[in-house]
Amino acid sequence: MKKKSLVLVVTIVFFCGISGLLYKAFAAKKPTVAVVVKGTKSEYWAIMVSGFKKGFQNFGVKGTVYAPDQSNEDQLTILKHVLKEKPDALIFSPIDPAASVPVLKEFKKKHIPVLVVDTDVNWSGQTSFIGTDNPSLGEKAGELLSSLLQPGDKVALIGRESIDNVSKDRIQGAEKALNTVGIDTVAGKIKFDGYKEGKTIPVFSQLLKNNPDIKGVFASEDTVALDVLKYLHGKGINIPVVGADGIIEMLRYNENGTLKGSVAQNPYDMGYISVENAVKVIKGEKVEKRINSDVDIITAGNAKSKIKFLEGILDK
């Protein structure tokens, strides 16, 4: 009888030990999150990638970031490769929103949640969109510009032709805010097939030639705004220019007082919040359908601290 009891105790201890090991192994398994973005090498995207990586670290995620500038493959091909890997969740920023939808539908068929970041897809199947409210960004930029101008002044709105609505939404938001307070606007569009420094100048110089009374400029992104600034400085023209992305070179113009104010997105927050919400979805928790990462208004007073924060991120 004692022998049977001993065998029973040993058996229970053995199975408890095995169960404990299996539990630890299961608990140690990290959720997998694949991130497919437009790029990783420009400053804006490098900042966002830092946000993803911090999220991977803080939320215990096995995460991988993919982009065309890493593999020389087009984004849709990368997306199809990632689908075969069956991650627990996908975070995606589309180059061509409409063209990406058929592949994204395949993720949904496999019950892989899709969180869209930075550039919306406008697809009902996406779990969440995390990014800037672009019409609102445009309005804030327009309000900032209007505070530096007078009713009756004229502002140039410079955007890029693209297959997403980012530039269009920002321009429309700025136009609405400026027109509301009696400021006129004229628009110029840049054909966009990859950014090259100076590409804005022919469009803007023609716009300025046709409208020599322009008193301010809103550019849909900082790379465009920087082209405009450099052109104006070369001509000895001092008028306010507002961009949108908050890259360091633009912020320095605020720090040294060349610009009175600027609008800055928060790509680091976009990356971090995307991972945070991907983990929530994997755990079966509900997330908001749209999450606004908001924008900051940059002035000489806060530019230095923002630059220090971004430089710290990029140094890592």
Side-chain angles (χ1 to χ4, degrees):
M1 187 72 179
K2 287 182 179 179
K3 190 174 181 181
K4 286 183 179 179
S5 297
L6 182 61
V7 170
L8 181 62
V9 170
V10 170
T11 303
I12 291 170
V13 170
F14 175 77
F15 279 107
C16 285
I18 291 294
S19 297
L21 289 171
L22 288 172
Y23 174 79
K24 286 181 181 178
F26 179 78
K29 183 180 180 298
K30 292 183 176 182
T32 57
V33 176
V35 178
V36 180
V37 289
K38 299 177 185 180
T40 57
K41 295 180 181 178
S42 71
E43 184 182 303
Y44 178 85
W45 289 103
I47 291 168
M48 192 183 296
V49 168
S50 293
F52 292 135
K53 290 182 177 178
K54 187 64 174 177
F56 296 158
Q57 178 185 334
N58 285 8
F59 298 108
V61 169
K62 183 181 179 182
T64 309
V65 179
Y66 303 88
D69 61 13
Q70 292 178 326
S71 61
N72 292 321
E73 290 183 298
D74 69 84
Q75 195 183 49
L76 294 182
T77 299
I78 293 170
L79 206 56
K80 289 170 185 176
H81 290 331
V82 170
L83 178 63
K84 292 177 182 177
E85 294 173 6
K86 298 180 181 178
D88 294 318
L90 170 71
I91 297 172
F92 178 57
S93 182
I95 292 173
D96 186 336
S100 67
V101 171
V103 187
L104 297 180
K105 286 180 177 178
E106 295 302 313
F107 278 84
K108 189 168 184 181
K109 284 180 185 177
K110 294 182 182 293
H111 307 288
I112 299 169
V114 176
L115 295 89
V116 179
V117 65
D118 180 73
T119 303
D120 204 357
V121 177
N122 291 319
W123 167 53
S124 62
Q126 66 194 44
T127 302
S128 182
F129 168 73
I130 302 97
T132 304
D133 181 330
N134 287 304
S136 176
L137 179 152
E139 285 192 40
K140 289 179 180 180
E143 289 166 1
L144 176 60
L145 258 180
S146 67
S147 71
L148 304 171
L149 302 172
Q150 299 294 325
D153 284 345
K154 186 181 290 184
V155 164
L157 306 173
I158 308 291
R160 60 180 176 85
E161 294 179 348
S162 63
I163 48 184
D164 59 52
N165 289 326
V166 172
S167 180
K168 180 182 175 183
D169 287 346
R170 292 176 182 177
I171 293 292
Q172 287 181 344
E175 185 175 33
K176 177 183 175 183
L178 291 161
N179 291 168
T180 298
V181 295
I183 293 174
D184 296 328
T185 55
V186 291
K189 289 184 179 179
I190 306 153
K191 289 185 178 179
F192 190 81
D193 53 2
Y195 173 72
K196 291 180 183 176
E197 187 175 355
K199 199 166 187 176
T200 308
I201 291 174
V203 175
F204 181 67
S205 61
Q206 186 62 49
L207 201 62
L208 193 59
K209 183 179 179 181
N210 296 340
N211 301 273
D213 55 343
I214 285 173
K215 295 290 193 280
V217 181
F218 169 65
S220 64
E221 40 195 284
D222 277 355
T223 49
V224 173
L226 287 168
D227 272 353
V228 170
L229 269 170
K230 290 168 185 177
Y231 177 81
L232 290 171
H233 289 170
K235 297 291 183 181
I237 301 170
N238 184 21
I239 59 175
V241 177
V242 173
D245 299 317
I247 63 175
I248 292 172
E249 188 177 356
M250 194 72 178
L251 298 178
R252 291 202 189 283
Y253 282 103
N254 290 278
E255 183 185 24
N256 65 27
T258 301
L259 294 178
K260 300 298 182 186
S262 189
V263 178
Q265 293 189 91
N266 292 301
Y268 181 84
D269 292 352
M270 288 184 210
Y272 188 86
I273 293 169
S274 297
V275 177
E276 179 182 18
N277 282 274
V279 172
K280 285 182 180 179
V281 173
I282 292 167
K283 289 179 177 178
E285 299 175 19
K286 288 186 177 180
V287 299
E288 296 293 328
K289 196 71 175 176
R290 297 190 71 82
I291 300 170
N292 185 3
S293 56
D294 215 344
V295 297
D296 296 326
I297 303 299
I298 305 298
T299 64
N302 63 3
K304 186 174 182 178
S305 61
K306 183 81 170 179
I307 291 169
K308 185 177 179 181
F309 171 71
L310 295 178
E311 286 182 333
I313 289 169
L314 294 172
D315 283 345
K316 292 176 185 178

